[in-house]
Amino acid sequence: MDQPVVRLRPIEESELEPLLRLVWDPDAPGEYQWFGFRMDAAREMERRWRDDGLIGKDSSFLAVAVEDGTCAGWVTWRPIAATDNYEIGIALFPEYRGRGIGTVAQRRLVDYLFSTTTAHRIQAGTEVDNVAEQRALERAGFRREGVLRGLYFRAGSWRNSVMYGLLRDDDRPATSDG
């Protein structure tokens, strides 16, 4: 199967409002990413976009652009405590899920972080029931490391999370230039 054409790039001003749906619209982020109306987070992201283009030392976001340049969602990373390592995340609009875009976007983000930072470890977590994201992480080269019990409160109950990790010197799939 051919990899979808995916490019990561800074978020453009015209994309900010649609992307903020991933924070405030219950239908946009999907079952595993809806944590309630987070209007304060949306306002903070708008402020940050004006201040630093959503690329900063505490957290960063890049647009996930598909072949025609359309923004399909975002990838994000933030430092892990006082280390040079990162935790990554992804959110895609519903119409772009299930097409391999997330796998390629996460591979590209890993390649970017390992080529522009001194990170030795990149990690990502997802709910234990989010099998699609677990498969995407594994296809991107991440290894399942364990379950963190009761980590997230979503939809009225505490949820377990699966932690995945990838080290700089781990074997990982190549990302084509597509």
Side-chain angles (χ1 to χ4, degrees):
M1 181 172 124
D2 289 338
Q3 287 188 73
V5 175
V6 174
R7 202 172 122 244
L8 303 181
R9 59 171 170 69
I11 294 170
E12 298 172 4
E13 185 173 16
S14 62
E15 297 165 336
L16 186 59
E17 186 175 332
L19 281 169
L20 290 178
R21 285 185 46 232
L22 294 168
V23 177
W24 63 259
D25 178 353
D27 296 325
E31 173 186 4
Y32 300 105
Q33 291 294 315
W34 176 245
F35 294 96
F37 295 105
R38 299 180 295 160
M39 301 314 288
D40 57 335
R43 283 191 298 277
E44 175 62 13
M45 290 181 74
E46 288 173 326
R47 182 199 63 75
R48 283 225 24 234
W49 189 89
R50 288 189 306 274
D51 292 350
D52 66 12
L54 291 172
I55 300 174
K57 70 178 178 90
D58 293 331
S59 67
S60 298
F61 294 80
L62 291 173
V64 175
V66 292
E67 188 167 12
D68 67 358
T70 302
C71 180
W74 66 42
V75 290
T76 183
W77 69 96
R78 62 186 170 100
I80 300 170
T83 71
D84 290 331
N85 300 314
Y86 295 95
E87 182 158 0
I88 67 168
I90 187 167
L92 297 176
F93 291 114
E95 60 269 27
Y96 296 101
R97 295 184 199 131
R99 297 170 36 188
I101 293 167
T103 297
V104 175
Q106 289 174 116
R107 283 182 190 158
R108 291 202 185 287
L109 182 55
V110 164
D111 290 346
Y112 172 75
L113 291 172
F114 281 149
S115 69
T116 62
T117 73
T118 59
H120 180 67
R121 173 186 171 80
I122 298 173
Q123 69 184 37
T126 189
E127 279 191 32
V128 295
D129 294 335
N130 192 348
V131 176
E133 175 60 3
Q134 291 175 49
R135 286 186 189 135
L137 288 168
E138 290 166 0
R139 285 191 304 263
F142 285 81
R143 296 181 188 177
R144 183 182 174 119
E145 297 180 332
V147 174
L148 305 172
R149 298 178 308 130
L151 188 62
Y152 302 110
F153 189 81
R154 184 186 61 72
S157 63
W158 287 96
R159 309 295 175 137
N160 297 338
S161 178
V162 182
M163 180 58 66
Y164 283 83
L166 178 64
L167 302 181
R168 180 180 288 273
D169 53 359
D170 283 346
D171 290 332
R172 58 186 196 268
T175 304
S176 73
D177 289 337

